[in-house]
């Protein structure tokens, strides 16, 4: 028997538990087939626990999570809890405390999946966003003065340090070198594009741009460097997605452009991401929300959670198993599902999990 990986599972809210169960099913099938073990420990952080105890993600839990090889997260967000409490208290707290400074979000159109982009297919939509995951307006300070009066002022600053920018760029360049289009046999060069806003955010993205070119020139001369303003990035995602290979950007722009990316790859049912600390504990999640209206109906699409599990295995070094999961997902999208939308798949949530698990174990 090969290695054993200790994995913390946080199913979370809404449809999170349903999709997480399918991701776990597929992880177990892949583990069995490829000769390793997954040792799972479940945690109940989420809206229900918050309502019961007032606790989001206590410091003791963060300390405990540090001991795992990886974390699988379902979804966070509860209709009875005010926006921000669970997101900041659980999801963002885990990202920041565990210093998961990369948010890796592949945008890949699988065969058989419908994209809203006319005349674009799987050969056109195949890129990866490396979103910085610890800085920007997410952690900049802010506050109100004269709150509630007509003179009220609100300030929220976007902050980046050279250290944060450099470590993110290094990851992105390394990623482009190993997984860019040339590395994948899909072109004659690997390209890293910086998405920023150097015409308005003349401090933050000036720093990013200088750091980008300095590092690229000195350490990654073979990687082609491109720059796009973030608004233009959105435009080209829709018009010419085939231009993109690996994209690196700050936290806020990364949040926004990856929702657009998710839509062009077929929707939130398929979009997965990894909150990665290359030197520590990473956390993988479907990037969509908890979709409370579908809770318990068995109609939600588990493929995003399953793909998140695949990304987890890739990061743990189980590349073959990760590849088998991706191939199995592609088989299912190409040959089985009628649609990726909740309730329209032609199969239930657990049947989709079964289909992928069976194929991955072949
Ligand atoms: C995401 C989400 C989160 C973010 C929210 C829920 C805090 O939108 O993972 O993209 O903004 O990062
Ligand atoms: Mn988002």
């Amino acid at each position: 028997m090969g290695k054993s990986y200790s994995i913390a599972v946080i199913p979370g809210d809404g449809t999170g538990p349903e999709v997480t169960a399918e991701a776990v099913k597929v992880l177990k099938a892949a583990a069995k087939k490829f000769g390793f073990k997954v040792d799972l420990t479940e945690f109940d952080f989420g809206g229900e626990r918050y309502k019961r105890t007032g606790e989001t993600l206590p410091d003791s839990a963060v300390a405990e999570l540090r001991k795992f090889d990886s974390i699988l997260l379902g979804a966070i967000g509860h209709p009875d809890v005010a926006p921000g409490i669970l997101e900041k208290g659980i999801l963002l707290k885990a990202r920041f405390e565990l210093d998961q400074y990369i948010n890796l979000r592949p945008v890949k159109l699988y065969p058989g999946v419908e994209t809203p982009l006319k005349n674009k297919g799987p050969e056109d939509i195949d890129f990866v966003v490396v979103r910085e995951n610890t800085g920007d307006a997410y952690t900049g300070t802010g506050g109100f003065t004269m709150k509630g009066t007509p003179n009220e002022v609100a300030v929220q600053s976007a902050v980046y340090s050279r250290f944060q920018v450099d470590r993110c760029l290094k990851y992105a360049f390394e990623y482009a070198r190993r997984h860019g289009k040339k590395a994948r046999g899909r072109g004659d060069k690997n390209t890293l594009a910086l998405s920023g806003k150097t015409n308005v955010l003349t401090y933050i993205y000036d720093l990013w741009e200088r750091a980008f070119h300095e590092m690229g020139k000195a350490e990654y001369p073979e990687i082609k460097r491109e720059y796009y303003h973030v608004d233009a990035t959105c435009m080209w995602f829709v018009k010419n997605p085939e231009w993109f290979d690996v994209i690196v950007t700050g936290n806020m722009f990364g949040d926004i452009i990856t929702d657009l990316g998710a839509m062009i790859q077929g929707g939130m049912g398929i979009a997965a991401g990894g909150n990665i600390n290359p030197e520590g504990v990473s956390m993988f999640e479907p990037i969509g929300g908890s979709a409370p209206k579908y809770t318990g109906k068995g109609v939600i699409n588990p493929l995003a959670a399953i793909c998140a599990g695949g990304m987890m295995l890739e990061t743990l070094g189980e590349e073959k198993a990760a590849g088998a999961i991706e191939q199995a997902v592609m088989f299912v999208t190409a040959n089985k599902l009628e649609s990726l939308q909740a309730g329209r798949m032609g199969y239930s949530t657990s049947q989709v999990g079964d289909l992928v698990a069976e194929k991955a174990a072949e």
Side-chain angles (χ1 to χ4, degrees), residues 105 131 138 255-256 258-259 287:
R105 296 188 161 183
R131 165 186 173 189
Y138 279 76
D255 176 45
I256 297 165
T258 55
D259 265 29
I287 80 170

Side-chain angles (χ1 to χ4, degrees), residues 198-216:
T198 53
N199 52 350
V200 175
L201 300 183
T202 48
Y203 304 115
I204 284 193
Y205 279 100
D206 184 82
L207 169 60
W208 272 90
E209 197 180 32
R210 275 182 286 118
F212 175 63
H213 290 300
E214 272 174 38
M215 187 179 290

